[in-house]
Amino acid sequence: MEQQELNRMFEGLAPTPEQERAMLDGLLREERMDRPMKRQMTKIAAAFVLAAAMLLTCAAAAVVTGIDQRFWVYFGLEAEQEPLLSRSAIPLDISVTNDGWTMEVKQVLADRYSLMMVVDFTAPEGTVLGEQEYILWPKNMNFSIPGQAPNSHSAQWQMLEDDDPADNHVSMLFTLDLGVEYRYLTGEHIDFSANTFRSYNGWVWEDVVAGDWSFSIDLPVQDSGRSYLKGEVFYLEGEPFTITSFYLSPISVGYEVEGQFDAVSAPGKWGEDAANMTLKTKGGESIAISGTKFGELSNITQKGRIVFKPEQIIDPEDIVSITMYGQTFDLK
């Protein structure tokens, strides 16, 4: 939300001068002439409490609007979940223009394993960016993390809702998930470099315009999630595997595992259907997992990382156990 729009929102929330006078007069009118000063001060204190409440209302509105509205829609966010998602939100102010073609990134959601960013792309006036699919190429935007050079990752693009398909603007969601060869995203400096804006015509991807849309982001050291070291064994097709850690954030649930992965007949055995993963909260609620975000199993290092997407925004502090592959793991 732009600052001007935010100001207009606060102006709409704030009472007019006439309303302020009316409220204060209503609080003080009965006490002005005949009541003791102590009761007058009680009413005056009440007036200050009312004013403070108004300020808190405005502050709460500012917090709620801290998450990009496109993320609200994408996650189906409820107001009470906004503080949880805010843990993963990093505000940015990135704008790169090439010959009138502008890319903007205003916010990123990130945790240990994953990064999500809304990428706005605007063409020169008079250009129509219709209802096709669009991406910035290369698909992974040539991302690089200094000191890390493995290739295991997943990069995905998704079109976001477009209010006016006949204008010169589109919004896209870019998602990056790191494989087990990487360390973590927290505290890292990440460079991105895209050189082509592409559209999909239903058959193939076509170049729309070439350019240089390079930018960098710095992610905070503080992790929005929580990790649990385990060292517990579970069995898949009779083969033992060791869970070395579980990880939970508001947007991800993952685990790292060690074992002889080639002993399992098919990679699909590691998918969400086989895992049938559920989370249990302190209140006894069960939260199902809707799908795999990313998974990698290395027969060379005998290490793996599987990351799932919960059906709802979760509070890592509220989860007490994870059940998968028919076995329940307590989180302590």
Side-chain angles (χ1 to χ4, degrees):
M1 178 177 292
E2 299 295 335
Q3 185 63 42
Q4 186 176 6
E5 296 174 331
L6 194 62
N7 291 338
R8 284 199 299 268
M9 181 190 72
F10 284 163
E11 290 169 1
L13 289 171
T16 65
E18 291 77 10
Q19 290 173 324
E20 290 177 349
R21 284 194 295 272
M23 285 187 286
L24 293 174
D25 287 343
L27 288 170
L28 301 174
R29 185 180 299 117
E30 294 180 0
E31 308 301 323
R32 282 179 180 148
M33 299 301 297
D34 302 321
R35 300 290 184 183
M37 180 59 71
K38 183 177 180 180
R39 294 297 301 274
Q40 274 191 305
M41 294 304 295
T42 300
K43 288 294 187 178
I44 292 173
F48 280 113
V49 170
L50 179 61
M54 294 175 188
L55 292 175
L56 289 174
T57 300
C58 291
V63 171
V64 168
T65 57
I67 297 296
D68 190 302
Q69 295 302 305
R70 275 79 61 87
F71 284 129
W72 277 76
V73 174
Y74 179 82
F75 287 105
L77 201 63
E78 302 291 340
E80 62 270 17
Q81 296 172 319
E82 193 276 342
L84 295 175
L85 195 59
S86 292
R87 299 180 187 179
S88 304
I90 301 102
L92 300 171
D93 188 18
I94 295 169
S95 181
V96 183
T97 299
N98 277 273
D99 295 327
W101 297 77
T102 300
M103 180 212 70
E104 293 182 298
V105 179
K106 299 300 183 184
Q107 190 172 75
V108 163
L109 298 182
D111 61 16
R112 176 176 295 188
Y113 296 143
S114 305
L115 175 151
M116 305 174 73
M117 68 173 73
V118 173
V119 179
D120 289 305
F121 205 84
T122 304
E125 289 294 335
T127 304
V128 175
L129 298 180
E131 297 185 74
Q132 301 101 310
E133 293 182 43
Y134 296 93
I135 64 171
L136 281 168
W137 190 261
K139 187 177 180 181
N140 66 358
M141 292 199 287
N142 275 329
F143 87 95
S144 64
I145 302 175
Q148 300 192 56
N151 295 316
S152 58
H153 66 274
S154 171
Q156 301 293 330
W157 289 87
Q158 182 177 342
M159 298 303 300
L160 299 178
E161 185 177 351
D162 191 350
D163 294 334
D164 185 1
D167 67 5
N168 62 334
H169 174 269
V170 292
S171 296
M172 304 164 288
L173 180 66
F174 173 77
T175 302
L176 177 68
D177 297 294
L178 296 187
V180 70
E181 294 181 14
Y182 282 93
R183 296 193 299 268
Y184 305 132
L185 284 169
T186 46
E188 293 290 358
H189 173 92
I190 308 177
D191 296 314
F192 295 92
S193 179
N195 55 39
T196 312
F197 181 59
R198 286 185 166 185
S199 68
Y200 186 65
N201 65 8
W203 296 95
V204 295
W205 288 98
E206 298 179 323
D207 293 353
V208 177
V209 63
D212 179 10
W213 294 278
S214 300
F215 63 99
S216 301
I217 62 175
D218 292 293
L219 298 179
V221 175
Q222 184 176 1
D223 195 338
S224 63
R226 184 171 181 179
S227 181
Y228 299 85
L229 298 178
K230 298 307 293 182
E232 295 187 43
V233 176
F234 75 99
Y235 290 85
L236 184 59
E237 290 191 342
E239 296 292 331
F241 295 92
T242 301
I243 299 288
T244 57
S245 66
F246 282 109
Y247 176 74
L248 296 92
S249 83
I251 58 175
S252 300
V253 177
Y255 66 92
E256 301 202 2
V257 59
E258 295 180 354
Q260 295 284 347
F261 303 116
D262 54 359
V264 176
S265 60
K269 295 290 185 179
W270 294 91
E272 64 270 17
D273 293 335
N276 195 23
M277 181 187 284
T278 57
L279 315 178
K280 186 177 180 180
T281 68
K282 293 177 181 178
E285 177 188 1
S286 293
I287 302 174
I289 298 301
S290 62
T292 308
K293 293 179 65 178
F294 180 70
E296 182 197 17
L297 308 170
S298 173
N299 287 320
I300 298 176
T301 64
Q302 297 182 3
K303 294 181 179 180
R305 178 181 294 169
I306 312 291
V307 184
F308 295 90
K309 176 185 176 183
E311 289 187 346
Q312 64 191 61
I313 300 297
I314 65 169
D315 181 354
E317 305 295 330
D318 192 41
I319 307 302
V320 296
S321 68
I322 295 177
T323 299
M324 64 180 193
Y325 302 108
Q327 185 170 335
T328 296
F329 300 87
D330 293 327
L331 301 180
K332 297 179 181 178

